[in-house]
Amino acid sequence: MIPEIDREISQRFHNGDREALEVIVATCQGSLFGIGLKMLGGIHDAKDFVQDVCIKIYNKRSLYNPELPFAPWMYKIAINLARERLRNRKEFPGSDSMPAEIIEETPRHLLVDHEQSQAVHTILQQLEPKYRECLVLRFEMDMALKEIATTLDLPVGTVKTRLRRGLMAFREQWLKNGDPQ
Amino acid sequence: MKCSVAEQMIIDHALGFLEEKQERELKHHLAACEQCRTLATSYDLAVQALQTQDIDSQAMLEPTWKTVATAVATEKRMPLQAKLTKAFLPLLAAAAVVLAILFSPVFFSDNKNGEFTRMEVIQAYADDLEYLEFGNETTATTSSGISFQEFGLSTDDASYLFQQ
């Protein structure tokens, strides 16, 4: 779900108020982590991604128009950063798995969920980034078509086509790998 | 409804694109077609997997705010330096390119610094044009049947460019 940032907080953020940034970080870090994990495929990469997005939005705060909703602006920056990371990445992602200390402390049913989520990440990494980002915004962020189009600066028709092709490709791989459940 | 049409609608249904009327049509088709029902189930499972939230993602995040706050504070202490670097690096790069062109010995010097002087380079171009018979015919076509107009050149321009 897209986190709600109210107008007052976004206005204060625009003016450089660090407390407003703290509220935004607390509200959005979970969803940004989800985007990072699904786009980049690794926990450490996703953690760095969250921090870098938060720093980047603060540095670019003067470019944000407080009259407009905050979330699409922030996710546009997040997606662009993820694209940049993918472009710069030379090695194929996926080696960055859950750290041992977290596995030890995690109940068994959550680990089964983790296996499934690992399988989803692996398949997402095999898709073209243009399909992956559309699927992540649709299903991770629960964004509507228009919101995805605004975030990615694309026509609605293009987003629709990418979502269809992306879902077809994902389903094919999901069936090949076998549903871990 | 044909199964090929239903297949498209199944994908759109999974993505949440279908309107009420289309949903009813699809439901009607699925009730009668086992093959499409299986396909629809597989898409539903794929979507369910994509919607799975990562376990306890908040817990996996170390105190993000501390790191962000430190970085933001550091950025605040030296904004001028960062701004200058940001503004001057592209300018320096552009200046380097301009200087390289201005002082290029091949094109802009008659001193024999490189392998060719400017005149030699121009002469080489002129020889090429002559070899291609561009110098002799300027009005309509070359002897090879190439029309200057095909390349967007007017007769006057062609006369000017290829005059002997």
Side-chain angles (χ1 to χ4, degrees):
Chain A
M1 294 291 284
I2 308 176
E4 289 284 328
I5 300 292
D6 68 44
R7 182 67 64 87
E8 185 226 329
I9 295 288
S10 58
Q11 179 66 60
R12 280 169 49 201
F13 164 81
H14 176 66
N15 296 337
D17 182 342
R18 284 172 57 191
E19 278 178 17
L21 176 66
E22 191 173 353
V23 173
I24 289 169
V25 171
T27 314
C28 300
Q29 61 177 351
S31 62
L32 288 172
F33 182 76
I35 291 179
L37 199 55
K38 289 201 164 80
M39 287 293 290
L40 304 173
I43 289 169
H44 294 301
D45 285 345
K47 280 181 183 175
D48 289 346
F49 173 78
V50 175
Q51 288 167 7
D52 292 347
V53 171
C54 294
I55 293 164
K56 201 158 194 173
I57 58 168
Y58 189 74
N59 291 342
K60 285 179 173 257
R61 64 190 180 277
S62 59
L63 301 175
Y64 166 63
N65 177 359
E67 299 299 312
L68 299 175
F70 180 78
W73 177 79
M74 183 183 70
Y75 290 118
K76 192 181 280 186
I77 290 175
I79 291 289
N80 283 335
L81 187 69
R83 284 173 176 171
E84 197 184 307
R85 291 277 152 90
L86 290 171
R87 269 200 303 274
N88 294 339
R89 182 180 283 177
K90 288 176 186 161
E91 286 176 304
F92 195 73
S95 59
D96 183 11
S97 56
M98 188 188 265
E101 67 272 20
I102 293 181
I103 293 178
E104 280 163 18
E105 292 165 8
T106 310
R108 186 165 167 67
H109 70 281
L110 290 182
L111 283 177
V112 175
D113 285 350
H114 177 68
E115 273 174 33
Q116 178 173 342
S117 110
Q118 280 284 83
V120 171
H121 297 159
T122 308
I123 295 171
L124 280 172
Q125 300 313 304
Q126 291 165 359
L127 302 184
E128 280 187 55
K130 63 180 181 184
Y131 298 140
R132 195 189 312 159
E133 61 194 21
C134 286
L135 288 175
V136 169
L137 292 179
R138 177 74 189 96
F139 295 113
E140 177 77 26
M141 302 305 306
D142 203 19
M143 279 190 184
L145 260 181
K146 272 189 181 171
E147 289 170 322
I148 301 173
T150 310
T151 304
L152 298 177
D153 266 338
L154 288 171
V156 171
T158 308
V159 173
K160 225 174 186 178
T161 308
R162 287 186 183 181
L163 277 169
R164 283 175 181 147
R165 289 185 183 163
L167 183 60
M168 284 166 75
F170 178 85
R171 172 194 155 267
E172 203 174 300
Q173 289 301 318
W174 185 249
L175 291 179
K176 262 190 209 167
N177 289 17
D179 182 350
Q181 282 185 328
Chain B
M1 184 193 292
K2 284 184 182 173
C3 288
S4 57
V5 178
E7 189 178 338
Q8 288 302 313
M9 289 177 83
I10 286 167
I11 299 169
D12 283 356
H13 161 78
L15 289 165
F17 293 165
L18 286 191
E19 288 169 12
E20 216 171 291
K21 189 188 165 198
Q22 292 171 307
E23 287 281 3
R24 277 201 303 275
E25 285 170 8
L26 179 63
K27 204 174 169 185
H28 187 69
H29 177 83
L30 291 181
C33 179
E34 196 185 338
Q35 199 183 332
C36 287
R37 252 197 328 267
T38 311
L39 186 71
T41 309
S42 70
Y43 271 104
D44 287 344
L45 286 173
V47 165
Q48 255 177 40
L50 279 166
Q51 283 172 328
T52 308
Q53 294 293 313
D54 294 298
I55 57 158
D56 212 5
S57 56
Q58 292 283 349
M60 277 194 222
L61 283 166
E62 281 145 19
T64 306
W65 171 243
K66 275 188 184 170
T67 321
V68 173
T70 312
V72 165
T74 316
E75 186 265 344
K76 226 175 177 181
R77 253 181 255 135
M78 48 172 192
L80 187 65
Q81 187 189 343
K83 276 178 191 170
L84 285 176
T85 312
K86 205 175 173 184
F88 277 103
L89 271 181
L91 279 177
L92 278 175
V97 170
V98 170
L99 285 174
I101 292 170
L102 284 177
F103 293 101
S104 165
V106 174
F107 292 104
F108 296 96
S109 168
D110 280 330
N111 298 327
K112 196 121 178 152
N113 291 333
E115 289 187 14
F116 299 100
T117 65
R118 177 179 59 178
M119 288 313 294
E120 281 170 348
V121 172
I122 291 170
Q123 186 59 50
Y125 277 118
D127 291 347
D128 285 348
L129 287 172
E130 197 177 334
Y131 178 75
L132 293 169
E133 299 176 2
F134 274 114
N136 300 327
E137 299 168 62
T138 57
T139 51
T141 58
T142 65
S143 61
S144 324
I146 301 168
S147 163
F148 294 123
Q149 279 73 25
E150 282 177 29
F151 295 93
L153 287 175
S154 69
T155 311
D156 287 345
D157 289 342
S159 308
Y160 174 74
L161 287 170
F162 301 114
Q163 61 193 331
Q164 291 277 331

